Every structure is written in structure tokens, then in C-alpha cells.
Amino acid sequence: MMCLKLYQRFTSPSSLSEEDSEQEEELEEEEENMSSPIQEPCKSGLLQITVHSGKSLRKADIFGKGDPYVVIKVNRVKIHTTVVKYGTDSPRFEESVHCILSDINDSKLAFEVYDKDMIGVDDTIGCAFVNLSKKPSIVNSPLLLSLPDINECGSLYVSVSFTPMSIIRPPATLE
């Protein structure tokens, strides 16, 4: 959707008085002189990120199976941590988070995958980044992200959707 400024006239030119015609001409001149950010897409809106699952995630522990979880960051700010999925290398998360973006063109997503440790610091399995300004085609579509590392780290299945502010309606007020 595009951010559009709608201007409607409810009178026909033939029914205008001379004074109304002059006002009409002034309005038309103002419209012509206005710069036209009207056709630009909305940059602000609601971003929904869903972490669906992981596949063949690298086990970071010496003993036992992996206990993976995902940390989602938008512009380096942590916005969500999934639940730890114990004893698996192919977890099913199905967790969503919403956040408001002021400018989708300046937004970067990070998906950091960790292995939960009972003692000490959690181990990093891998990380995947998505720059929304450079990949507009990823919005509103599922993604299979590889977790690059020296060793094969596995992959993460996520989806990202963006709803421009121009089509978000405020909740109804109770009277």
C-alpha cells in the first residue's frame, strides 16, 4: 500500500460562483506547487516476525543434545527471546513478535541462535542478518536463513511481514 493523501472536491466546476472559481484556482495552484512525497511508500508501520523452526542446528555441547533458542534483534535492540527447546537439533518454535518501525528502510534484523547451558554462558550456534532496506522482496514472505560459520550451523525458517501505518486502524474506543 502507498501512503496517499486524498483530496476530494464535492462540487462540479459548472456550479461554482465566481468567488468559488477563484478559490478553486488557488487550490489548484497550491496543489501544483506542493512537493510530491504523496506517491512514496509508507516507511513506518507494524513489523511482525515469526520464528517457525530450526533445522540441523549445530550441537554446541560435548554431551547430550542441543538446547536451542533464538534471540531476535531489530536495529541491535533485543525484542524477543524464544522458549528453549530442550534435546533437539531441529526445534519447532512457532513464536511471533510485533514491533513498530519508524522507517523500514533503516531497519536490520538479527536472528541469533544459542545453545542453553546449565552452567556458565550459553554457546552461540550461529547468527543470520536481514537488511530490510536491501531486500524489500523478503517482506511478507517466508525465509530460510543459513547460519554461516566455519562449521555448518544449520538453518532457521522465519517469516517477516510489514503493515504500513497508512492501513493500520486504531482500536475502537469504548463509550
Side-chain angles (χ1 to χ4, degrees), residues 25 45 79 97 173:
E25 286 174 17
I79 62 165
V97 63
T173 57

Side-chain angles (χ1 to χ4, degrees), residues 7 25 35 57 59 64 74 78 86 105 107 119-120 122 143:
Y7 176 73
E25 286 174 17
S35 61
L57 298 179
K59 184 178 86 160
V74 176
K78 181 168 70 170
Y86 291 96
N105 294 327
S107 298
I119 300 173
D122 296 345
L143 302 170

Side-chain angles (χ1 to χ4, degrees), residues 29-47:
E29 284 178 28
E30 285 178 24
E31 285 177 3
E32 288 174 11
N33 295 333
M34 292 175 77
S35 61
S36 173
I38 295 170
Q39 298 302 320
E40 289 183 22
C42 258
K43 295 177 181 179
S44 61
L46 182 68
L47 186 70

Side-chain angles (χ1 to χ4, degrees), residues 12 14 23 27 30 32 37 40 46 60 65 80 95 97 110 129 138 140 142 147 151 159 166:
S12 65
S14 61
Q23 289 177 346
L27 283 173
E30 285 178 24
E32 288 174 11
E40 289 183 22
L46 182 68
K65 294 187 176 193
H80 184 72
E95 292 186 38
V97 63
F129 299 93
I138 65 105
N140 301 325
L147 302 172
N151 304 320
S159 59
S166 62

Side-chain angles (χ1 to χ4, degrees), residues 37-64:
I38 295 170
Q39 298 302 320
E40 289 183 22
C42 258
K43 295 177 181 179
S44 61
L46 182 68
L47 186 70
Q48 178 180 333
I49 305 164
T50 303
V51 178
H52 296 285
S53 61
K55 184 177 179 191
S56 303
L57 298 179
R58 178 175 54 89
K59 184 178 86 160
D61 294 332
I62 296 170
F63 302 106

Side-chain angles (χ1 to χ4, degrees), residues 82-153:
T82 66
V83 173
V84 176
K85 299 296 179 174
Y86 291 96
T88 183
D89 66 348
S90 295
R92 205 125 175 96
F93 297 104
E94 297 302 338
E95 292 186 38
S96 294
V97 63
H98 297 83
C99 69
I100 300 290
L101 293 181
S102 59
D103 188 352
I104 190 168
N105 294 327
D106 286 338
S107 298
K108 295 167 187 68
L109 304 178
F111 297 90
E112 300 173 354
V113 183
Y114 293 93
D115 181 59
K116 181 76 176 161
D117 282 343
M118 296 306 224
I119 300 173
V121 180
D122 296 345
D123 301 311
T124 302
I125 295 175
C127 190
F129 299 93
V130 177
N131 187 338
L132 296 176
S133 65
K134 295 190 178 182
K135 300 195 181 220
S137 62
I138 65 105
V139 177
N140 301 325
S141 62
L143 302 170
L144 183 62
L145 303 175
S146 294
L147 302 172
D149 197 355
I150 296 169
N151 304 320
E152 179 59 35
C153 293

